[in-house]
Amino acid sequence: MIELAKVYKNYYLGEEEVAAVSDVSLKIKPKEFISIVGPSGCGKSTLMYLVGLLDTPSAGKIFVDGKDVSGLSDSELSVIRNQTVGFVFQSFNLINKFTVLENVLLPTRYTKLKLAFDPGRRAEELLNKFGIYERRNFFPNKISGGQQQRAAMVRALIMNPKVILADEPTGNLDSKTGEEILNLLERLNRDFQTTVVVVTHDAAVAKRTQRQIKMRDGRIIRS
Amino acid sequence: MRLRNGVYHLMTSAVSDFKRSKIRTFLTSLGIMIGVFSVVMLIALGLGLKNYIEGQFESLGANLVIIFPGMVFSEEGGLGGNFGPGFAGGAHFKERDVSALDKVSEIDYVVPMFFKSMVLSANGEEILGYVTGTNEEMFTVSNIELLEGELFSRSDNQRRRKVAVLGYSAAQELFSDPRVALGKRVTASDQRFTVIGVAKKKGDREMDNSLFVPYRSTFGTINPDKTFFAIYLGITSKDAVETAKQRAEETLLKYYEEDDFSVTEQSEILSTINQIFTIINVILVAIGSISLLVGGIGIMNIMYATVTERTKEVGIRRAIGATQKDILLQFLTEAVTLSVMGGVLGLVLAGVMVLVVRQFFPVALNLLAVVLAFGVSSAIGIFFGVFPARRAASLPPIEAIRYE
Ligand SMILES: Nc1ncnc2c1ncn2[C@@H]1O[C@H](COP(=O)(O)OP(=O)(O)O)[C@@H](O)[C@H]1O
Ligand SMILES: [Mg+2]
């Protein structure tokens, strides 16, 4: 579904070149539950952003459904992000001036095509399923971290994407709430058949996934 | 503990951010508000002033030629020399000039005009009005009709009798009912005049508040120099106006230099006044435009700050599928809203101001002002908002989402 072929990503800090991701080749198949593990700074987030088309590689190619995306325009990439990918972040990244419901509906506002579902109804269903329906009219900073992350997951799911990319989704949560979020990700993979990629530096988290991709210094050392 | 701290911090910073942007929003639109307010007010003032002056001249009869001291209106139609009496270099017209002009056959009426702002008192009341020293032909030339009584006559003038025709407003204020003024005495500068006539309402402030007296009766304490501010000439036939003007000029050149007086037709005066007010309007609008420009720069400045502050938000929106165009439109809409909000506020404020000022001075609003307020403020929003919005749109998504 998403394939990376010899992908590199280099950053420049002044004169110094930082190889955040080096020579990464990777295939993400439908319905997979994958974890990317490795120490802090090894390039996990960079890799995830490349997979989610938020970033472009310095070298190498990325294919989505067999199609090379390197030639796509910014708005074509935006369309793929909107329809195919759902992001979940460590710091939730909800927009604080909007309510939970408004945040959750935001991706539907950026769709250029006619939606196959009723956004309002789908949002209510998902909020219900994730146990935060009662919080729908709250502002993100008025609810708990676990609830914010659930809201963020509903936002990631609203467009019914093929893949959910979660960057340390439990990193800002206590272990009990983190466990709940992980359970939800697991259920999501099982019940919705959505591909889930979880970035983590926690081995216990990684153990629960079907496939672990180990990284070190920007390279995949085991997958 | 970590979670609580995080949420608490988010909460307080968001609340303070909200408060700050409320004040900031107001201050930012204030610039446009003041700009639109001044432009609209200036237009209203200019328009009102023009209407007022035009009304003044239109209330005079047709085929009226006015002789002013000084070079009021140059041949080219522009404003040159001195305006009105009391300025250096202008002629002070005398009775001799009136008699000389009377002999010109093309001129049907020669009306000397002495005009002075004075306190008029009668019946225990006092008002600030005017004493207009003239002759009975003034009423024909200026289209003033009588409500009651009669006009003073040629012999009243010869004998310098203290008789007067009282303007409608003055009569109303001094005697409550204009009709009872007849036969009463009105005092101006220790001179007591008997009211023998009351004029109908003319709709002209100066005329309606005047005490019209035979010009010779003012000679003395009221008009010690025995001079006139202007001489009005009434010409019955339209075709005779040009020759009459020429003859009048020739007549006066015997006594004065060419630059000491000007012979002007009412229509010329009107068109010159039109020109002058067009120029004044342009200048006033230019001044208002400068405040609008400053207001626009203010919006641009705030929008740049907003873009930097909301880099993270831009990143989030890009991650969930917003295109560059979506982001551009978002910030552009914000800038335009900010600007139009200021524009509407300015327009409303100007509207209120016009209602207040109208009590004292003729001001008028027109559709142009309203259209201008909306048009200009949205144009400013677009023009000054597009640069910050483009910066927001061109933020690389990855950098925006990683921005803390
Ligand atoms: N915008 C950037 N500019 C420079 N260096 C960066 C940038 N983003 C990431 N890096 C560097 O790339 C490396 C990988 O970062 P990251 O992918 O965030 O690692 P991880 O998510 O595994 O902790 C780190 O050394 C980091 O400092
Ligand atoms: Mg990371």
Side-chain angles (χ1 to χ4, degrees), chain A residues 67-87:
Chain A
K67 198 176 156 203
D68 182 3
V69 299
S70 54
L72 295 186
S73 71
D74 179 87
S75 60
E76 286 168 320
L77 291 173
S78 301
V79 169
I80 298 178
R81 280 199 297 273
N82 183 240
Q83 293 178 345
T84 314
V85 186
F87 286 99

Side-chain angles (χ1 to χ4, degrees), chain A residues 4-21:
Chain A
L4 276 65
K6 293 193 179 302
V7 165
Y8 290 78
K9 182 71 197 183
N10 303 321
Y11 289 112
Y12 294 90
L13 284 172
E15 292 287 284
E16 200 186 339
E17 195 175 2
V18 181
V21 165

Side-chain angles (χ1 to χ4, degrees), chain A residues 40-41 43-46 49 90 167-168 199, chain B residues 402:
Chain A
S40 187
K44 306 182 296 294
S45 295
T46 304
Y49 288 133
Q90 178 174 358
D167 190 359
E168 314 234 12
V199 167
Chain B
R402 284 204 192 227

Side-chain angles (χ1 to χ4, degrees), chain B residues 40-106:
Chain B
V40 171
M41 269 324 282
L42 298 172
I43 290 175
L45 282 173
L47 213 68
L49 214 61
K50 194 173 145 183
N51 286 349
Y52 175 72
I53 303 271
E54 273 180 6
Q56 293 261 302
F57 278 96
E58 265 156 26
S59 68
L60 298 171
N63 298 335
L64 184 69
V65 170
I66 300 175
I67 305 173
F68 279 121
M71 285 294 290
V72 182
F73 305 104
S74 67
E75 290 298 308
E76 298 79 46
L79 181 71
N82 306 306
F83 187 85
F87 290 87
H92 297 280
F93 302 118
K94 300 196 172 62
E95 204 178 1
R96 169 199 69 194
D97 309 331
V98 177
S99 315
L101 288 164
D102 249 337
K103 296 198 182 84
V104 179
S105 59
E106 286 86 354

Side-chain angles (χ1 to χ4, degrees), chain B residues 136-137 139-140 144 146 148-153 156 165 196-197:
Chain B
E136 75 287 353
E137 289 173 342
F139 296 90
T140 314
I144 298 179
L146 286 187
E148 294 280 317
E150 55 187 22
L151 294 177
F152 43 79
S153 64
D156 288 336
V165 172
I196 57 165

